[in-house]
Amino acid sequence: MGDFRSFKTARREAAAPMKPLADPAGWTADELRDVSRWSYRITPADAAELQAAVAAVRRKGVAMVDVRKEDFPLGAFADVLVDVRRELMDGRGIVMMQDFPLDRFDREGNAIAYIGLGAHLGQTMSQNKLGHILGHVKDLGGDYQDPNTRGYMTNAEMRFHTDACDYVGLLCLQTPMSGGASRIASSVTVYNTMLARRPELVEALCGDYYRSRSGEVSPGDLPYFKQPIFSFHEGYFSATGAGAVIDKAQRLPGVPKFTAVQKEAIEVYRQTVDEIALDIDFKRGDIQFLNNFVMLHTRREYHDWPEVERKRHLLRLWLYDPAGRPIPKAQREGRFGRGVSVKGVQRVAPLEAEAA
């Protein structure tokens, strides 16, 4: 079994615009192809600690939306999660955890265990206009081309993107009949590759791009916001994706059309992401934690089982880490830093998928 803790030997140099990056999150697909070398397998002892912590939450009557680290006591497994957080911050920016003990719990117990585990890495955030802090990635028949439809409600192959949080966690409850592989890419490697080939396009990607809010706005708010793809702050590089929200924003009133340079920059960026990306099989009980400021993710199109109870289903967490990677103020504004916050909507943790 391998060790996910690359942060112990990783080297980072201060990042500056238009200069090559030396960052441990700048990995290649070949380096991560053997997933077992950088995964953590949850042990029976870890599972017993999760079970005891779930019982403690239920005994205290803590609501799922209110579960904090102090409400979810862990023993030796807590030390592992300290290292998971360090790896997300100071290492590759991704950790795969395997063998989450799904069969020890009912649906509510799995939700409490997952939220409690996540609370050791950061603070839960609302993920959509309904205030969900526990997300359900499941095909609900949505149209991926619709500007107001989030991709996780469809079975389409999505564009590489980042989520509006420090860390995103994806726990696999059910796999599809076929397809649906997880795809990951390093934003650091994308930047370095493009800088070597087309530095003028990297410069363009350091400027603002309009992004659709996917209809998740409070009354009076604009349906879009602006952010660069590549940013620099306090000697750290960070990035946001060029996902479907950029294309969807082009169809919104008030959003200027791409310039020729911007359009080419996005095209070459997406080609580069596909070139350096890695596909990973996602098995039942796998959890993938990603740092959105150095990682891109998506999934392949999939075909589902006809039986409702067998359909592909992931549970998602968005986590905010106030002591995480330094990022520009603009990335903490808008949806970033507070998730999807709609006035008057309370946080909830639904146990089943709901259309948003």
Side-chain angles (χ1 to χ4, degrees), residues 54 58 64 100-116 134-138 171-175 284 308-316 349-354:
V54 169
R58 284 174 160 163
M64 277 192 283
F100 184 85
L102 292 169
D103 294 332
R104 288 199 181 211
F105 305 107
D106 58 13
R107 175 60 64 83
E108 182 188 69
N110 276 315
I112 295 171
Y114 183 40
I115 291 170
L134 182 66
H136 294 264
V137 181
K138 195 172 185 178
L171 164 60
C172 182
L173 299 182
Q174 297 288 348
T175 58
R284 187 172 184 270
V308 173
E309 68 277 6
R310 297 182 69 187
K311 289 186 178 298
R312 182 183 189 268
H313 194 174
L314 311 181
L315 293 183
R316 184 177 62 193
L351 296 180
E352 299 294 341
E354 301 175 15

Side-chain angles (χ1 to χ4, degrees), residues 224-258:
Y224 54 79
F225 63 105
K226 295 187 295 183
Q227 280 182 352
I229 309 298
F230 298 140
S231 298
F232 295 82
H233 185 66
E234 296 181 0
Y236 281 80
F237 165 84
S238 63
T240 57
V245 292
I246 285 180
D247 301 314
K248 292 175 180 181
Q250 290 286 292
R251 302 197 292 274
L252 294 173
V255 173
K257 300 303 181 186
F258 290 138

Side-chain angles (χ1 to χ4, degrees), residues 19 28 86 141 149 197 224 253 257 267 303 327:
K19 302 291 185 183
T28 66
R86 281 288 309 277
T149 295
R197 298 172 179 173
Y224 54 79
K257 300 303 181 186
E267 289 174 353
H303 299 282
I327 60 173

